[in-house]
Amino acid sequence: ARAAAELREKEKAWQQEKDLLASELRDAQQKLAGFKKVSPRTEVVEVTKKQSPKEIIDVLKNLRISSKDPKNIRLAIQQLENLIELGESALPEIQAFLTAQSDIDYDPSIFGSWKGSKDGRVPIDFVFPPSLRFGLFDATRKIGGEKAEKLLADALRITGRGVELAYLTRVLQEMAPFTYRDLALSAAKELLNNPVNAASSNALDKYERNYLFGVLAFYKDGSLAQQAQGQIVLTDGKIDQGALNYLKETLGQQSIPAIAQLYQDARITDGQQKEPLARLALNFAGADAQADALYGTAIKDPTLTENSRRELIEDLNQDGYDNLKNFSERDVQLIRNRLALIEKSRAASDSKIITDAFAEAEKDLKNMLTKATQRPVP
């Protein structure tokens, strides 16, 4: 029975490849007809049976995708396009697969250009999906309409995966702005308090908490700010980047007092773990006195590597601005304040690398100020 089942699956895959080759052959024949005089009586038209949504999904479920097999990658993309062409008739089978909570994660080397990040953001477009579920989410989004919207909302409601929740939140916000805000926030809070994938080693789950906090930050929901503050320093002394980003995005400058206190936390035994805290201070350096003080402490901190301190200084020209291409009045004042901060701090230089970093930052900031005011800076 297993042999018969395997044979049927192979025959089905072979039929799909045959249909694809037949389609390419017909295209070639049509081009050739422009150069040859063919009698209409001898022309043969072959009609290929269109696949059903179930057949397409069955093919996708049985495809083994790897970077070493580009043929299967192309076939998967074609099958997803075929699903989109079927429109709303494909939605019931898509929903059946998604509701079963099964999935096939694909080789990260294929979708390397599409990935989540430490700030919890995920793009909603990709050339090749990171998993079959993501491929079906994308197909549903492109089919569009009320039924597709409802399907994606149902998926958001039941998913236990942070990366999916972050993706679906942004897709539904695009389709129906703020309609699913409360649902997304409730789901994110539930998974933060009762994680499902905390022990997962999957690449897509690497920044699970970042994605969940990212959903809260996306809607500027600060209701978990106090909870996040208590979770920034983990029991092993490492920094929870997701919680830290969440405080930055929701509290902004008001997070500085808490961050300054955490910078002195005795649980942080590895000095390099302080760098994300120092980088948050960098975002508000020149705009807040407490941020200036914490930033000044960080660039003199011997527990940070010299390279980390150098980058904190040189990045005064890029972090914390409203618009680097079209400076706002706030940006102009921030540049001036940071030039003054450099002048005040450069005396603390304890090596040529740090001295050179101050010089580089000063040069860049003066160039920015010249660009912003259209007049040379002495």
Side-chain angles (χ1 to χ4, degrees):
R2 284 197 302 271
E6 290 174 356
L7 180 59
R8 286 195 297 272
E9 291 301 325
K10 289 180 179 179
E11 287 176 343
K12 189 182 296 183
W14 175 82
Q15 184 63 44
Q16 294 304 318
E17 187 170 356
K18 178 186 174 185
D19 290 345
L20 184 61
L21 292 171
S23 175
E24 293 174 348
L25 177 60
R26 286 195 300 276
D27 290 342
Q29 288 172 334
Q30 289 174 359
K31 291 179 181 178
L32 188 59
F35 299 94
K36 293 182 178 180
K37 187 175 181 180
V38 180
S39 171
R41 289 173 297 178
T42 61
E43 184 177 354
V44 177
V45 178
E46 181 181 346
V47 178
T48 303
K49 179 180 177 293
K50 185 175 287 188
Q51 292 173 280
S52 70
K54 185 177 186 308
E55 289 172 332
I56 292 173
I57 292 177
D58 283 344
V59 170
L60 289 167
K61 284 163 59 176
N62 288 288
L63 274 179
R64 292 296 170 260
I65 308 296
S66 76
S67 57
K68 297 179 181 179
D69 194 348
K71 182 179 73 172
N72 278 0
I73 295 174
R74 292 194 300 269
L75 182 55
I77 293 173
Q78 182 60 54
Q79 293 297 324
L80 289 168
E81 289 297 323
N82 291 343
L83 208 56
I84 295 168
E85 288 180 8
L86 292 176
E88 288 190 350
S89 67
L91 296 180
E93 287 297 332
I94 292 177
Q95 185 157 35
F97 179 86
L98 295 175
T99 303
Q101 294 286 54
S102 58
D103 199 6
I104 300 173
D105 289 333
Y106 297 139
D107 184 346
S109 66
I110 303 173
F111 61 88
S113 59
W114 185 96
K115 58 184 178 181
S117 59
K118 290 183 179 180
D119 62 7
R121 296 172 184 165
V122 293
I124 60 175
D125 292 300
F126 40 71
V127 176
F128 191 82
S131 75
L132 178 51
R133 285 174 66 86
F134 270 92
L136 297 179
F137 289 152
D138 185 59
T140 303
R141 171 194 171 211
K142 290 174 179 175
I143 289 171
E146 291 183 7
K147 292 181 180 179
E149 181 185 319
K150 182 180 182 304
L151 189 159
L152 293 172
D154 289 342
L156 184 146
R157 188 176 288 107
I158 66 174
T159 185
R161 204 172 195 183
V163 66
E164 288 188 0
L165 180 55
Y167 174 82
L168 290 167
T169 293
R170 284 161 173 75
V171 167
L172 285 166
Q173 177 68 9
E174 179 187 77
M175 297 176 75
F178 297 101
T179 301
Y180 301 98
R181 176 184 182 277
D182 291 344
L183 175 61
L185 291 174
S186 176
K189 292 173 186 178
E190 174 63 25
L191 287 178
L192 279 168
N193 291 321
N194 301 287
V196 175
N197 289 312
S200 173
S201 60
N202 190 291
L204 285 176
D205 301 320
K206 183 177 181 180
Y207 301 121
E208 178 81 359
R209 285 172 58 80
N210 301 40
Y211 299 134
L212 297 173
F213 274 122
V215 170
L216 303 186
F218 181 70
Y219 284 119
K220 303 297 182 184
D221 181 284
S223 61
L224 294 189
Q226 187 172 358
Q227 176 180 325
Q229 181 180 329
Q231 296 175 349
I232 288 176
V233 181
L234 302 175
T235 55
D236 60 0
K238 293 182 179 179
I239 298 298
D240 185 327
Q241 191 70 53
L244 183 63
N245 287 337
Y246 170 62
L247 277 193
K248 173 190 168 187
E249 294 296 324
T250 55
L251 297 186
Q253 197 169 313
Q254 295 176 11
S255 66
I256 293 297
I259 300 305
Q261 185 176 354
L262 290 172
Y263 194 87
Q264 305 300 330
D265 196 307
R267 291 173 295 175
I268 306 177
T269 56
D270 178 2
Q272 274 308 107
Q273 290 298 318
K274 295 180 179 180
E275 183 181 5
L277 304 177
R279 193 155 286 279
L280 189 146
L282 166 61
N283 273 271
F284 303 102
D288 180 271
Q290 283 186 295
D292 288 352
L294 178 54
Y295 177 76
T297 298
I299 60 176
K300 293 181 289 186
D301 190 343
T303 65
L304 291 177
T305 66
E306 197 168 53
N307 189 54
S308 293
R309 293 162 58 206
R310 175 186 61 78
E311 290 181 351
L312 284 169
I313 295 169
E314 292 183 353
D315 288 350
L316 282 167
N317 70 340
Q318 63 183 35
D319 289 12
Y321 296 94
D322 293 331
N323 191 334
L324 287 171
K325 293 183 178 180
N326 186 18
F327 296 110
S328 65
E329 290 184 11
R330 174 188 173 278
D331 289 337
V332 173
Q333 187 57 51
L334 189 63
I335 294 170
R336 295 185 187 280
N337 291 348
R338 288 184 172 184
L339 283 167
L341 186 62
I342 288 175
E343 191 60 35
K344 177 182 177 182
S345 303
R346 72 167 76 245
S349 298
D350 54 4
S351 71
K352 185 176 186 304
I353 288 178
I354 300 302
T355 299
D356 290 348
F358 277 121
E360 181 69 20
E362 183 178 50
K363 181 188 73 174
D364 290 341
L365 288 171
K366 284 185 175 181
N367 288 338
M368 290 165 64
L369 192 57
T370 298
K371 178 182 176 182
T373 59
Q374 294 300 308
R375 59 177 181 271
V377 179

